[in-house]
Amino acid sequence: MAAAAAVSEPWPELEQAERQRRRELLLTGPALEERVRAAGGRLPPRLFTLSLLHYLEVSGCGSLREPGPGLAQGLPQLQSLVLRRNALGPGLSPQLGPLPALRVLDLSGNALEALPPGQGLGPAEPPGLPQLQSLNLSGNRLRELPADLARCAPRLQTLNLTGNRLDAFPAELFRPGALPLLSELAAADNCLRELSPDIVHLASLKTLDLSNNQLSEVPAELADCPRLKDINLRGNKLKDRRLEKMVGSCQTKSILEYLRGGGRGCGRGKGKAEPEKEESRRKKRERRKREGGEGEEDEADEARRLLLRVLHVSENPAPLTVTVGPEVRDVRPYIVGAVVRGMDLQAGNALRRFLASQTKLHEDLCDKRTAATIATHELRAVRGPLLYTARPPQDLKIVPLGRKEVKAKDLVRQLQLEAEEHRKQRKRQTVSGLHRYLHLLDGKEQYPCLLDADGDVISFPPITNSEKTKIKKTTSDLFLEVTSATSLQICKDTMDALILKMAEINKYASENKEEDAVSDSETDATPAQPAGPEGKPGAEQGGPAPLLVEQVRVVDEEGRLKVVYPSKTDLGLPAALVTVLR
């Protein structure tokens, strides 16, 4: 019966993708729920005949229990597979791999309990996911990780295990050379009871989040991870009371120095490390630094001179506020905003570098805009308060960058026609520019948008901004927004990274002033000079003036606070790179 029903259910998205020879496909929405249920909780076999697909997302489908057979054989070119917020579990039957080209795998927000051989990610010999770089298993029910994970995905760089039921890491994960490229490991909100000293073998580890677990000790060997820059151990009941206080208030550097000295409850509970052991560790660290390159510390010292000053809402006579309407709840519910004053985009190629940095963030951290989308605006053209809402495509009007006013429905159609024309002209299946993100709107009955006090749409994520608030070389004060359909945290992480990049560009511009003519017609505008902590330009005599970051509140329709950025916990990741004056 299920098979018969599956045959009778139409899948117009698949027909369109096949006809257009598409490389990206997103399936979501109420109609998907009904069709997957009719197919017995699986995806239709026809999906696995779209052999040109590079990106596939199926999300928010509570009736999807397993992908179905044929995925590995039918999608050999797949590079990104996003199966979040479904009902996959307790295992994966059949296993996902081998997928030789897959780089990003997101299985977050499902009901996975275990990933044993044959019901997991793929074979270990030969590796089933040889090119996988990012794996997200957060928000499941996993009690253990597959022992062969490192052999299945030997090039893994980011592993997110947050919000599961893990009580230990498999020993194979930390064996020498197992995951030589792993730089981020997140396992917050689990039941971890111990951390093996062998974690020192993760030679590329930069970020480690083990907050809210059941750790009682932290091995001193953790301090010997040669590239570790950021650790989070909050929410654990550590035996060493001093260390427990330090993880809640001190920077990573201080914590690592304490561990390096042996602490008073680190590792196997010994007191201070023996001098011979400490000397051995010191030599190992120096050797690893030499092997990893001599220039890293010099670059870090240079970056530490970046300055940011935060202006709190209570100190701001006219703070900007964003009200979130209930319409975005099922479309793109998360938004974070900030105002940044004091950018100098006139010097040299600063504007081009700023735009290029956004493009890179969209490609990497934002995962080609599937995780989050950035929008930047000329603050002088933004009239608050702002409203973040969603409207039917035929009712949403915008003046897109470089275009005339158009309805969102017609804009999407125009972009689709342009994409098809580009494919024909270039005789290629890939497209560039905005055309790459059209699939993110597939199946959406309403489109998200940000409106100003005049009722004008200034942002249409994840596609485009408005010409009304376009930034120019003369722009010095900006309103920034980051939106996501995934999580609030990815919005904050992206905003952190964007503001850090802005500080770097501003510092570079101040040190490399060039007498270039301003290309915009608005030559009368002058970059604002933010006041320092004492009301004087610049935080230090003769040093570069800090960028001023003004808090922006996001509230619901009743005026209740949803989020304020930057809060005390934001702009914390680059603590070793930037001085934040709060």
Side-chain angles (χ1 to χ4, degrees):
M1 289 292 292
V7 172
S8 64
E9 287 290 334
W11 290 84
E13 305 95 333
L14 305 188
E15 296 171 6
Q16 184 183 41
E18 186 175 21
R19 185 172 61 253
Q20 297 179 352
R21 299 174 64 81
R22 301 243 328 243
R23 297 203 174 206
E24 310 92 10
L25 180 62
L26 183 147
L27 299 173
T28 188
L32 173 67
E33 187 92 26
E34 298 171 5
R35 287 177 287 173
V36 169
R37 187 180 298 112
R42 294 181 172 186
L43 296 173
R46 183 175 180 181
L47 173 60
F48 306 134
T49 66
L50 304 176
S51 58
L52 294 177
L53 282 183
H54 282 187
Y55 177 93
L56 172 62
E57 177 176 351
V58 184
S59 60
C61 183
S63 55
L64 182 62
R65 297 192 298 273
E66 56 185 65
L71 190 151
Q73 294 78 9
L75 304 179
Q77 299 186 51
L78 198 63
Q79 296 180 10
S80 296
L81 177 59
V82 180
L83 299 174
R84 59 185 167 217
R85 294 186 293 109
N86 298 303
L88 299 176
L92 294 171
S93 182
Q95 63 185 3
L96 288 181
L99 289 167
L102 196 68
R103 297 186 177 187
V104 176
L105 177 57
D106 187 345
L107 298 173
S108 61
N110 283 283
L112 296 170
E113 297 178 10
L115 297 169
Q119 298 183 41
L121 304 178
E125 298 293 342
L129 305 173
Q131 300 299 323
L132 191 67
Q133 298 175 4
S134 174
L135 174 60
N136 189 345
L137 293 170
S138 64
N140 280 280
R141 305 170 187 171
L142 293 169
R143 297 184 179 278
E144 61 180 4
L145 288 178
D148 58 2
L149 174 60
R151 288 186 293 149
C152 176
R155 299 185 63 81
L156 203 58
Q157 297 178 21
T158 302
L159 178 58
N160 190 344
L161 305 168
T162 301
N164 281 280
R165 302 173 183 177
L166 303 171
D167 59 11
F169 292 112
E172 293 83 352
L173 202 67
F174 299 150
R175 63 179 174 81
L179 291 173
L181 304 178
L182 189 69
S183 62
E184 297 183 30
L185 175 58
D189 302 312
N190 277 276
C191 306
L192 296 170
R193 297 181 180 278
E194 64 175 336
L195 181 63
S196 170
D198 290 338
I199 193 171
V200 71
H201 295 136
L202 295 180
S204 298
L205 189 65
K206 294 180 180 179
T207 302
L208 177 65
D209 186 354
L210 299 178
S211 57
N212 300 322
N213 278 281
Q214 299 175 21
L215 298 174
S216 59
E217 295 182 342
V218 180
E221 287 80 1
L222 183 63
D224 294 333
C225 290
R227 297 180 182 272
L228 189 59
K229 300 293 183 185
D230 185 60
I231 58 174
N232 187 353
L233 298 169
R234 298 181 183 91
N236 289 284
K237 294 184 178 181
L238 302 176
K239 291 180 179 179
D240 187 333
R241 296 306 179 194
R242 182 180 176 189
L243 179 60
E244 188 171 27
K245 290 181 180 179
M246 291 182 70
V247 301
S249 58
C250 295
Q251 295 185 2
T252 296
K253 183 178 179 180
S254 300
I255 296 171
L256 293 181
E257 287 177 352
Y258 182 73
L259 292 175
R260 196 169 289 128
R264 287 201 309 270
C266 308
R268 291 168 291 279
K270 293 184 180 179
K272 273 198 169 183
E274 299 86 345
E276 297 84 359
K277 193 171 184 180
E278 174 60 22
E279 179 64 17
S280 174
R281 285 184 188 150
R282 187 183 64 79
K283 290 180 179 179
K284 285 182 180 178
R285 286 195 302 273
E286 291 177 353
R287 184 171 65 252
R288 285 174 181 141
K289 285 180 181 178
R290 286 195 300 271
E291 293 171 353
E294 297 283 352
E296 291 183 2
E297 288 188 356
D298 292 339
E299 292 176 6
D301 289 338
E302 182 76 8
R304 284 192 188 100
R305 289 190 286 150
L306 301 174
L307 296 173
L308 296 173
R309 182 193 165 201
V310 175
L311 183 68
H312 295 263
V313 170
S314 59
E315 303 171 324
N316 193 342
L320 192 61
T321 301
V322 179
T323 300
V324 176
E327 303 84 1
V328 297
R329 184 179 297 115
D330 299 322
V331 181
R332 196 176 184 86
Y334 305 105
I335 183 170
V336 162
V339 168
V340 174
R341 297 183 185 270
M343 277 298 289
D344 181 3
L345 297 176
Q346 297 193 71
N349 61 354
L351 177 58
R352 187 171 62 186
R353 293 182 69 216
F354 177 52
L355 297 176
S357 69
Q358 292 181 60
T359 300
K360 190 174 190 315
L361 284 172
H362 274 145
E363 288 295 305
D364 300 335
L365 184 58
C366 299
D367 195 9
K368 295 181 172 60
R369 301 199 191 189
T370 60
T373 301
I374 301 166
T376 57
H377 307 269
E378 164 68 75
L379 182 63
R380 290 186 303 168
V382 175
R383 289 195 64 238
L386 305 178
L387 174 64
Y388 182 52
T389 183
R391 290 182 173 177
Q394 64 273 17
D395 297 338
L396 195 163
K397 290 185 178 180
I398 185 173
V399 183
L401 290 170
R403 297 173 185 256
K404 296 180 180 179
E405 184 179 64
V406 65
K407 292 182 178 180
K409 177 184 69 173
D410 298 328
L411 174 62
V412 170
R413 181 59 183 157
Q414 287 176 18
L415 293 171
Q416 289 172 338
L417 292 174
E418 289 174 8
E420 187 62 31
E421 187 63 27
H422 288 173
R423 286 190 181 101
K424 292 178 181 178
Q425 290 178 359
R426 300 180 183 183
K427 297 181 181 180
R428 296 189 305 186
Q429 299 308 314
T430 56
V431 292
S432 59
L434 298 179
H435 311 99
R436 292 183 297 165
Y437 311 120
L438 293 176
H439 68 278
L440 299 175
L441 296 174
D442 289 350
K444 296 286 193 297
E445 297 179 358
Q446 295 195 91
Y447 290 167
C449 56
L450 186 64
L451 282 66
D452 65 9
D454 297 325
D456 294 332
V457 175
I458 63 171
S459 179
F460 170 26
I463 302 300
T464 186
N465 297 2
S466 168
E467 185 74 19
K468 179 179 181 179
T469 58
K470 178 182 178 180
I471 64 171
K472 312 173 183 68
K473 268 204 165 190
T474 52
T475 299
S476 60
D477 301 338
L478 298 90
F479 168 62
L480 316 175
E481 55 156 299
V482 179
T483 60
S484 173
T486 306
S487 73
L488 180 63
Q489 190 59 48
I490 187 62
C491 291
K492 291 189 165 196
D493 292 346
T494 302
M495 188 70 86
D496 282 355
L498 176 62
I499 291 176
L500 175 61
K501 194 64 185 176
M502 292 172 70
E504 291 174 353
I505 292 171
N506 223 38
K507 175 174 175 293
Y508 180 86
S510 69
E511 294 177 351
N512 298 272
K513 286 285 187 182
E514 296 179 22
E515 301 298 326
D516 285 356
V518 177
S519 62
D520 291 301
S521 58
E522 300 181 26
T523 54
D524 58 333
T526 308
Q529 186 78 300
E534 303 300 327
K536 300 175 183 178
E540 298 175 5
Q541 186 69 27
L547 282 181
L548 183 65
V549 184
E550 296 181 8
Q551 288 184 327
V552 170
R553 299 172 76 248
V554 176
V555 301
D556 64 15
E557 287 189 314
E558 303 298 323
R560 292 185 293 259
L561 183 66
K562 294 174 70 70
V563 62
V564 61
Y565 181 94
S567 66
K568 290 182 179 179
T569 58
D570 298 321
L571 293 175
L573 288 177
L577 304 176
V578 63
T579 300
V580 181
L581 309 172
R582 299 183 187 269

